Amino acid sequence: MVEFHEGEIAVQVKAGTRGVAEELKRGISDRIDLEFGRNEFFRDLRMVYVAAVDGDGDVWVSEASGEKGFFQAPDPTTLQVDVSNDHLVRGDPVREIFEEQSDTQIGVLAIDFDKRRRYRTNGRFLATESSNGKVAVRVAEAFPNCPKYIQRRSIVGRRATSSSEAIAGVELPKEAIAMIQKADTLIFGTRNPETGADINLRGGNPGFVRVPSSSEIMWPEYRGNGMFNSSGNLEVDHHAGLLFIDYEGSGNILQVVGEAHSDWDPQETLEGSTRAIRFKVKKFRLYTGSEPYEWKLNAVSDYNPTIAGHDQSEDRAGPFPVQVKMVKVVKESDSVSTFRFLAPRPVKFLPGQYASFDFHVAELGDFTRTWTLSETANSATRGDVTMEISVKRKPGGVISNWLHDKAELGMEVTLTGIGGDLSPFIDEDEVPKKIALLSGGVGITPMMAILRGLRAFRNDADVVFTHSERHEKDRPFGGELDRRGSTDEHLRLIRTVTDSTETLIDNRVRGRITKQLLEPELGDDPTSWTVYLCGPDRFMVEVSKALLEIGIPSKNLNTEAFNF
């Protein structure tokens, strides 16, 4: 397992997110999860963002673009990206870095703006003999991130790009300052000596990035996942780089390198944050009209705080955070209970997505926790004022056990966001016709939400619902599954018990979910099935391997990672 370095740990301790960071750490790997269709995601992209470190230690952030397939992962430990003349803007320092250095730190951010999906990979550039400008990256860290603060935009065509030379200097000119002040997205690169360069997105409403002077840039650090990868890097190395692109406007591209640090007590009033990043400009490059694509802005992020003093439409005010009140508790099994919360206004969520909550418990402290929502909303477009989480009691689970033992009706907690794409309703016009829902333990919660959503929205997809539990007494939603199994002609239920001594009832199957169990259900036409999979790590690995052996395409496997 990848471990946090000293800078990340220091910031996590200071911010009070050490516990949640350790929980999320399992989502960071030294291998790309190709078995879950990641390479298909990569190959569909027409641009990615790259951060590379030059000989002076400066971090340059660039956009590489091309036709589908220019970026891919030939194996789980290697990324390949084409940075030949047609794929980077003319004069980009990143190309020079690759030409002059045989070994350098590099970070890659693969992002689909329209679907709000992103995946980060950090590692080192490998000198290779490959031709045509393709370079390889040896993976050190690879992990997905949540969709927060990503503005939905899509490519609508090619732009007639400028061939003029870049403007370069050490102090930002007025056109660069104006570009930054209206930006809703910046790409932020940092570095550390252990895992290489890191690159991620910062987003908000226009005006969230400020330019106090021609040599300084600052922005509020909105709430993230609590791992503090970028800020942690700044604790050990202040070198950083920024990339701004005027997507829908001029097509100008601005690269800035310099030094950055975290300001934990800013004097300015910041929306949605009590911490800022201050960036000291060392030098910049401004490329006029060089963005290769024409873009259309489709929607801003629900999480963008409103910027005081800026003319913004009401739809730029996001719904989070919001206080929700606990109004109902239902015992689902010996170890799982469902907790219902009431919001003051409808909150949009889709079956299979998760919610993140802030808890302030007097005797324990402050905690952030994320659970899948087990209920479906009344409306896929408007959402609902109620939402439910189904929580399993577990040894050492501070907040999960506190909910079971101490939570009271009427108590309020803070809902900080909804996320995740483990849902067949992400693309509402393309709900699959054949769906396999596979879960182990409390991983059943998103599967119940998906099943409920399919039937609530009058979808008659064929569903194979397979759930594994150690003991029957611990199986949540048993009565509901019995009812649905007896009345839903398009639902096939398979329930396994892994305890070797337990008496089997009602056609239960003993053992784990295996290839032999699934093949009779999915093997006749494996490419037609879309699979949603959730459970413990070992369960996920074993079942995904079985599905691939049956012939389910990796792009049809959908899993969840709580990287909020």
Side-chain angles (χ1 to χ4, degrees):
M1 178 183 292
V2 174
E3 298 294 336
F4 292 119
H5 63 72
E6 60 178 340
E8 292 168 320
I9 293 172
V11 179
Q12 291 163 11
V13 170
K14 192 168 185 177
T17 64
R18 187 80 183 98
V20 70
E22 282 295 311
E23 289 186 8
L24 293 176
K25 184 177 66 178
R26 67 186 181 92
I28 305 176
S29 176
D30 59 0
R31 297 169 60 86
I32 299 168
D33 53 352
L34 299 186
E35 65 271 25
F36 296 125
R38 192 66 61 183
N39 199 34
E40 285 83 351
F41 168 60
F42 291 162
R43 291 179 62 85
D44 279 345
L45 297 177
R46 296 174 64 186
M47 35 50 69
V48 297
Y49 297 105
V50 178
V53 182
D54 68 14
D56 296 326
D58 291 326
V59 182
W60 290 93
V61 182
S62 303
E63 180 188 67
S65 62
E67 297 304 317
K68 292 181 178 181
F70 88 103
F71 172 67
Q72 57 185 301
D75 62 68
T77 62
T78 309
L79 275 181
Q80 190 177 74
V81 58
D82 196 329
V83 292
S84 59
N85 290 337
D86 293 334
H87 299 276
L88 286 178
V89 66
R90 188 162 67 95
D92 193 320
V94 167
R95 181 182 293 112
E96 189 173 298
I97 292 171
F98 290 141
E99 290 173 351
E100 295 183 355
Q101 298 188 48
S102 60
D103 182 30
T104 186
Q105 297 172 323
I106 183 170
V108 180
L109 174 63
I111 186 166
D112 183 331
F113 282 108
D114 199 30
K115 294 183 178 179
R116 289 183 168 137
R117 297 182 64 191
R118 56 177 157 170
Y119 193 85
R120 294 159 67 182
T121 306
N122 308 327
R124 303 194 74 85
F125 160 64
L126 298 176
T128 69
E129 297 179 357
S130 59
S131 59
N132 300 322
K134 292 182 180 179
V135 299
V137 180
R138 178 64 66 198
V139 174
E141 294 181 340
F143 53 105
N145 267 173
C146 76
K148 288 167 70 177
Y149 312 118
I150 298 177
Q151 326 310 331
R152 279 195 59 227
R153 44 178 39 104
S154 55
I155 296 172
V156 294
R158 279 276 183 179
R159 186 189 300 270
T161 56
S162 169
S163 60
S164 60
E165 292 292 329
I167 302 170
V170 296
E171 290 192 353
L172 298 171
K174 61 181 181 180
E175 56 263 50
I177 293 174
M179 180 178 171
I180 294 171
Q181 289 174 332
K182 73 173 187 177
D184 60 24
T185 299
L186 72 86
I187 310 298
F188 182 31
T190 58
R191 59 170 289 192
N192 76 75
E194 297 182 22
T195 56
D198 181 70
I199 183 171
N200 205 355
L201 173 145
R202 296 293 187 267
N205 284 332
F208 87 102
V209 186
R210 296 110 190 259
V211 190
S213 72
S214 60
S215 60
E216 185 182 8
I217 301 169
M218 64 91 69
W219 63 90
E221 281 285 87
Y222 297 147
R223 176 159 187 151
N225 54 27
M227 292 192 290
F228 291 104
N229 307 112
S230 299
S231 296
N233 283 352
L234 296 181
E235 289 289 302
V236 297
D237 191 321
H238 291 300
H239 288 90
L242 306 177
L243 177 72
F244 296 90
I245 298 176
D246 188 356
Y247 293 98
E248 287 79 36
S250 65
N252 289 353
I253 297 175
L254 175 65
Q255 294 172 311
V256 191
V257 297
E259 294 189 348
H261 70 274
S262 298
D263 184 352
W264 291 85
D265 188 23
Q267 299 303 303
E268 299 90 344
T269 299
L270 301 177
E271 71 291 339
S273 178
T274 58
R275 185 172 64 94
I277 297 294
R278 295 194 182 276
F279 185 99
K280 184 178 180 181
V281 177
K282 178 181 179 182
K283 49 190 173 183
F284 76 91
R285 295 181 69 87
L286 176 63
Y287 308 86
T288 303
S290 296
E291 165 59 29
Y293 300 120
E294 295 277 0
W295 292 83
K296 175 186 176 184
L297 180 65
N298 299 318
V300 300
S301 172
D302 287 340
Y303 301 93
N304 291 349
T306 300
I307 310 296
H310 284 256
D311 183 16
Q312 295 170 355
S313 59
E314 290 185 2
D315 62 359
R316 281 192 177 268
F320 306 111
V322 60
Q323 293 297 112
V324 295
K325 180 184 298 185
M326 185 183 294
V327 294
K328 187 176 182 180
V329 180
V330 177
K331 186 177 177 65
E332 303 287 358
S333 72
D334 278 11
S335 58
V336 176
S337 290
T338 292
F339 301 87
R340 174 177 290 182
F341 295 94
L342 176 67
R345 58 181 181 273
V347 175
K348 184 177 178 180
F349 59 93
L350 296 173
Q353 290 191 304
Y354 56 76
S356 186
F357 299 87
D358 277 356
F359 290 84
H360 176 72
V361 182
E363 64 271 28
L364 298 174
D366 295 331
F367 296 84
T368 297
R369 291 294 184 268
T370 298
W371 290 283
T372 301
L373 294 161
S374 50
E375 186 56 277
T376 187
N378 282 332
S379 169
T381 56
R382 296 186 302 276
D384 208 333
V385 295
T386 64
M387 63 202 67
E388 295 180 354
I389 55 172
S390 298
V391 180
K392 185 173 184 177
R393 181 191 293 276
K394 58 182 180 181
V398 177
I399 294 299
S400 58
N401 292 343
W402 178 85
L403 278 172
H404 280 268
D405 297 333
K406 298 293 183 66
E408 298 178 350
L409 297 183
M411 62 168 278
E412 290 191 348
V413 298
T414 303
L415 172 66
T416 59
I418 304 292
D421 54 9
L422 185 69
S423 175
F425 299 95
I426 297 295
D427 298 313
E428 294 181 20
D429 296 331
E430 300 179 7
V431 177
K433 299 299 183 184
K434 292 184 176 182
I435 294 176
L437 305 176
L438 309 179
S439 57
V442 79
I444 193 175
T445 56
M447 306 309 156
M448 290 302 300
I450 291 171
L451 179 61
R452 290 165 170 171
L454 287 169
R455 299 319 185 221
F457 301 151
R458 301 184 183 280
N459 184 287
D460 61 354
D462 289 326
V463 177
V464 172
F465 192 117
T466 307
H467 177 245
S468 180
E469 196 69 66
R470 184 170 182 80
H471 301 286
E472 190 61 34
K473 65 182 177 62
D474 291 325
R475 192 185 308 276
F477 314 108
E480 180 179 348
L481 287 173
D482 286 338
R483 292 191 299 273
R484 290 185 179 274
S486 63
T487 59
D488 189 338
E489 61 180 339
H490 295 286
L491 173 63
R492 164 83 166 119
L493 286 178
I494 304 173
R495 285 168 282 187
T496 80
V497 179
T498 60
D499 184 88
S500 60
T501 63
E502 186 157 328
T503 301
L504 299 180
I505 61 170
D506 297 335
N507 299 315
R508 302 300 193 265
V509 178
R510 191 181 309 282
R512 299 181 181 276
I513 298 176
T514 62
K515 176 184 176 182
Q516 291 69 31
L517 183 68
L518 295 174
E519 194 160 26
E521 305 295 333
L522 312 177
D524 287 346
D525 187 13
T527 61
S528 68
W529 289 92
T530 299
V531 179
Y532 298 88
L533 180 64
C534 191
D537 291 345
R538 178 184 173 187
F539 169 89
M540 302 267 280
V541 171
E542 291 178 350
V543 176
S544 63
K545 181 180 179 181
L547 291 166
L548 293 174
E549 291 176 354
I550 290 171
I552 303 293
S554 60
K555 66 179 181 180
N556 289 9
L557 300 185
N558 299 275
T559 64
E560 191 56 275
F562 289 165
N563 283 297
F564 222 86

